[in-house]
């Protein structure tokens, strides 16, 4: 008993130290820069090892696949926005689609700031201004991450089963199958997550919260489509550099979901230490030439970093404009 209490004190002290460090701006920037540096180091090593291949490679970028990738990115954003609207509605939000779109878009833009809580903090503040229970942004974000993780791990496991080549190089190998245990549990018994939270963090628990199994399955299904669109984006970016057969699309969906799962696991670390970019580059080189892998990985990162923020900003401005026009018409005698 004494040992257990001592271990708990040590754990609480360690978590408290980590939390205090992550609140410091210079620590966040340091971790972000470390992630960028690691990604650049892996890219530089890939170029160095395959220099002959890079030197003789003919770079010809086709514009139309890039346009298609941009359209797919916008479609994925709209799908994710719709999923968030459904999640927030299930958790008790009575805000309309436009207000949810405004909040989701703004929170997506500020998520680009280095730190671990910017998106959640942005959502919490905006829902507070909208006089909505904090259950919506807090629990909504948790269920959103779970839906992303559950759908991503499902596609990852499917890819690992169908691709022995990927099993040999995937960071966790077939051990990723163990991640199915909590996923299947929460898919079957979502209310258990609320009961567990009531014990671990009663301050943030809501006993009145009711989440049905069919709701969770619906969110996961929508994020399966979102991961698939991510695979389409990667396939189009690769095809822009070197044309690929449509058989490569399944591989791209698997790689995007697999590296996305790794990125979700590294979410508490600002910038994710570049894990997604590094793992995608390493795994993509198993299927395409090194120059194509490097070009597609860098382009995908820029598209997700800048393109998604641009789509979110445009969505936010359009929604604000629609709301202003509606208000003007409503006040017109």
């Amino acid at each position: 008993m004494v040992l257990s209490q001592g271990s708990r004190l040590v754990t609480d002290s360690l978590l408290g130290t980590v939390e205090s460090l992550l609140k410091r701006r210079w620590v966040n920037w340091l971790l972000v820069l470390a992630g960028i540096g690691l990604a650049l180091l892996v890219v530089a090593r890939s170029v160095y090892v395959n220099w002959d291949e890079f030197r003789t490679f003919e770079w010809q970028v086709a514009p139309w696949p890039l346009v298609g990738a941009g359209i797919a990115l916008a479609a994925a954003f709209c799908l994710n926005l719709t999923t968030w609207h459904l999640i927030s509605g299930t958790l008790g939000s009575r805000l309309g689609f436009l207000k949810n779109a405004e909040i989701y878009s703004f929170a997506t833009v500020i998520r680009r700031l280095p730190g671990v809580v910017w998106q959640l903090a942005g959502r919490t503040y905006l829902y507070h201004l909208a006089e909505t229970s904090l259950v919506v942004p807090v629990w909504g974000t948790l269920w959103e991450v779970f839906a992303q993780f559950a759908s991503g791990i499902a596609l990852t496991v499917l890819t690992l089963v169908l691709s022995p080549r990927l099993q040999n190089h995937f960071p966790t190998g077939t051990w990723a199958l163990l991640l199915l245990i909590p996923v299947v549990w929460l898919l079957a018994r979502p209310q258990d997550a609320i009961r567990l939270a009531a014990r671990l963090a009663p301050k943030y628990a809501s006993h009145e919260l009711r989440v049905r199994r069919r709701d969770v399955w619906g969110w996961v299904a929508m994020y399966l489509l979102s991961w698939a669109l991510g695979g389409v984006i990667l396939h189009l970016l690769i095809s822009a550099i070197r044309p690929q057969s449509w058989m490569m699309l399944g591989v791209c969906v698997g790689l995007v979901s697999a590296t996305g799962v790794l990125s979700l696991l590294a979410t508490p670390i600002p910038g994710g230490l570049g894990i997604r970019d590094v793992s995608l580059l390493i795994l993509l080189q198993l299927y395409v030439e090194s120059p194509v892998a490097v070009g597609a990985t860098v382009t995908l990162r820029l598209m997700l970093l800048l393109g998604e923020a641009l789509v979110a900003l445009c969505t936010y401005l359009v929604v604000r404009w629609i709301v202003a026009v509606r208000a003007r018409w409503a006040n017109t005698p």
Side-chain angles (χ1 to χ4, degrees), residues 8-70:
R8 184 178 301 177
L9 289 174
V10 171
T11 302
D12 292 343
S13 176
L14 179 61
L15 291 176
T17 302
V18 172
E19 183 180 3
S20 64
L21 283 175
L22 291 178
K23 289 181 179 179
R24 299 178 184 272
R25 183 177 300 178
W26 68 269
V27 174
N28 288 319
W29 278 109
L30 183 62
L31 290 172
V32 171
L33 292 176
I36 295 174
L38 178 61
L40 292 177
L41 182 63
V42 174
V43 170
R45 183 183 182 280
S46 178
V47 174
Y48 175 77
V49 172
N50 303 281
W51 175 244
D52 291 336
E53 191 176 352
F54 275 88
R55 185 169 51 84
T56 59
F57 188 81
E58 296 182 4
W59 293 93
Q60 295 181 351
V61 180
W64 288 113
L66 295 179
V67 174

Side-chain angles (χ1 to χ4, degrees), residues 215-329:
D215 294 326
V216 180
W217 279 87
W219 305 335
V220 171
M222 295 187 74
Y223 269 109
L224 282 171
L225 295 177
S226 182
W227 287 119
L229 283 172
V232 171
I233 294 172
L234 178 60
H235 184 271
L236 289 171
L237 293 179
I238 296 173
S239 299
I241 302 173
R242 180 63 58 87
Q244 303 289 324
S245 68
W246 284 105
M247 295 295 293
M248 185 64 182
L249 178 58
V251 173
C252 290
V253 172
L255 294 183
V256 167
S257 58
T259 55
V261 167
L262 293 176
S263 177
L264 286 174
L265 293 174
T267 297
I269 305 174
L273 287 180
I275 290 177
R276 183 172 193 170
D277 304 318
V278 171
S279 57
L280 179 60
L281 175 58
I282 294 174
L283 297 176
L284 196 56
Q285 287 179 320
L286 301 175
Y287 300 92
V288 298
E289 302 161 280
S290 292
V292 177
V294 171
T297 300
V298 173
T299 306
L300 179 63
R301 168 46 56 193
L302 291 176
M303 177 166 285
L304 292 178
L305 185 64
L306 302 177
E308 187 183 49
L310 179 61
V311 171
L313 180 60
C314 290
T315 303
Y316 174 77
L317 295 176
V318 169
V319 168
R320 294 287 294 178
W321 177 78
I322 293 175
V323 171
V325 170
R326 281 187 173 183
R328 190 179 306 164
W329 277 100

